Amino acid sequence: MPQITEVVFALFILCLPMITWSQAQNTDQADPYAQQSPTSQNHPAPAAPSDSAAVSLPSPNPAPQDKKDNSQGKQTKRMFGVVPNFAAVSANTQLPPLSTREKFSLAAHDSVTDYSSFTWAGILAAQAMALKSDPELGSGITGYGRYYWRTFTDGVSGTFFTEAIVPALTHEDPRYYTLGKGGFFRRTGYAISQAFVTKTDSGGTSFNFSEVVGNGLEAGLSNAYYPPQERGLSQTAVNFGTQMESAVLNHVVQEFWPDIRRKLLRQK
């Protein structure tokens, strides 16, 4: 089974020199976005009124009111235009907890309702076929189709387990809160830790059951639709390790995505 963030992480590695340089330049500077955010930790945003007629998904990136915002720490809905990033929260932003319905809506945005989910699955499927990660699936157009629907199913099931089903049961917040400041190693360590530690709906922190248990459930479910050679306890353990590795890499890329946009892609 392909690593979910392998392609993006390769791009991230290419961006490391510029990111490290920008961190060195900004070490002693104050974070202007932290002062401009209308939803800072000292003034948490009030919960939006419920609307029973429509599913409401709180935006993870509320726009600051100050027009001087330079997009430092600002997340976008997609990374590189093709990787779903709806669960990432911009730096220095506090949001109200998600209801169960909102968690399922978030998972849907990250897996089935946006074009990026289909595009990213296509890229991963092509990569998996090129590497012959599951040779039993064949090659050519037919083989690619087999890779594609399994890759897409992996993504959908994994996203719903980690962002909706398990978080709803454990009352955890499945979103990634960007640190956005500090040195490169501090931010990298923080990003890695978020695969194992997460916020709770009550505002505390806990072991990230959503990520760990959710990825375990996804690895187990894959036994139902992969070839017999790719099933069994040992293969499930390998798949679980791959999913956790992908989660860690994804958080690292999410953490530095605002820097990549501002410093390399010149986007605001």
Side-chain angles (χ1 to χ4, degrees), residues 1 5 21 38 63 72 74 86 121 131 144 153 156 162-163 172 182 200-201 208 229 248 260:
M1 295 171 62
T5 56
W21 174 84
Q72 184 170 343
K74 182 72 175 292
F86 292 89
L131 296 176
Y144 179 74
T153 302
V156 173
T162 59
E163 294 184 7
E172 294 174 349
T200 62
D201 292 342
N208 198 340
Q229 299 88 336
V248 168
I260 294 172

Side-chain angles (χ1 to χ4, degrees), residues 20 35 40 46 54-55 72 75 94 124 134 142 161 184 188 215 220 242:
T20 305
Q35 300 174 359
S40 65
V55 175
Q72 184 170 343
Q75 292 286 354
Q94 282 287 75
L124 291 177
D134 301 300
T142 302
F161 278 132
F184 172 78
T188 300
N215 281 316
T242 299

